[in-house]
Amino acid sequence: DLLVAETLNGSLSTGVLNVAGTLTVVAGELEVGRGQGGGGASNGTINLLPGGSITTNDWTKFGADIPFGPHGGGTGRLVMTGGTFNKLGGGNVAFGVYDATGEVVQSGGLFNVASGDLYVGAYGVAGIANYALSSGTLSVGSGVFAIGKSGGATGTLTMTGGTIVKAGAGDFEIGEGASGTLTATGGLMIKPVTTSANAYDLVVEGQSYRPRQKPSRSKEPVIEQPPQTKRRNARRPRRAA
C-alpha cells in the first residue's frame, strides 16, 4: 500500500505528495489521510500538477478510516490543477470513508475511474466528502457513481464548470442510504448513448429514474431538442373611422 499521512494509535501525522511526473501504484491500495486507533486525525494531501500522471490498480481512498475498533478520523485531499488520474484494476474510489473527510478540488486535468465505483462520502454518518469541479473532466465508466453512499454519509458535488461523463451501466446515485447533494451552475454533463442495454439509472434518495432514450444507428449521443414554439399571427385592431 501507499499511505500518505496515517494516524496510528493516537500519533498524528501530516503528509503532502506533489506529483508532476508519473506515479503508478502497481499493487495495493492508495490511502490518503487514514485514521486508525483513535486519538487524533491525520491530514494528507496529493497535489496533481499539469503534466503529472497517477495510476492506481486497487482501492483508492482519500479520507479513510477503518471500519472496526477506535476510529481516528482523518482528512484526505486531492488538488488537481492538471494532469491525469487513472483508476484501473480492482476495488473502488472513495472520498470520506467512515469517520473521515475527503476533499477534491479539480480545476483542470482528467480524473478517470475506468474500473470500479466512485463514492463521494461513504459508509458512515461521519463520512463526509466534498468534490468541487470548476474545470477539467470527471469520468466514470461502467461502475456506480454515488454522491452519498450508505451508512448515513454525506456527499456533496459542486460543479461550476468542466465536464462530467457517466458511461456504462452503473447507476448515478445521489443520496443512496446517505445524504447526497449535486449543485451544477455551469459545465456540461454527458451520458453517451449507444444501445438500450447501456442505459443507467439515476437514483435520487432511493427512487430510480431511467433517462428516456431514442433508438439510434450511430454511436453519437442523442440530444433531444426542445419543441419549437409556434407563432400565431395576431390581427391588428382596426382604426376608428
Side-chain angles (χ1 to χ4, degrees), residues 141-153:
S142 60
V144 170
F145 182 3
I147 304 172
K149 178 68 174 180
S150 184

Side-chain angles (χ1 to χ4, degrees), residues 147-175:
I147 304 172
K149 178 68 174 180
S150 184
T154 300
T156 301
L157 192 152
T158 303
M159 183 181 184
T160 57
T163 303
I164 294 178
V165 179
K166 175 64 188 82
D171 290 345
F172 191 163
E173 302 174 351
I174 304 174

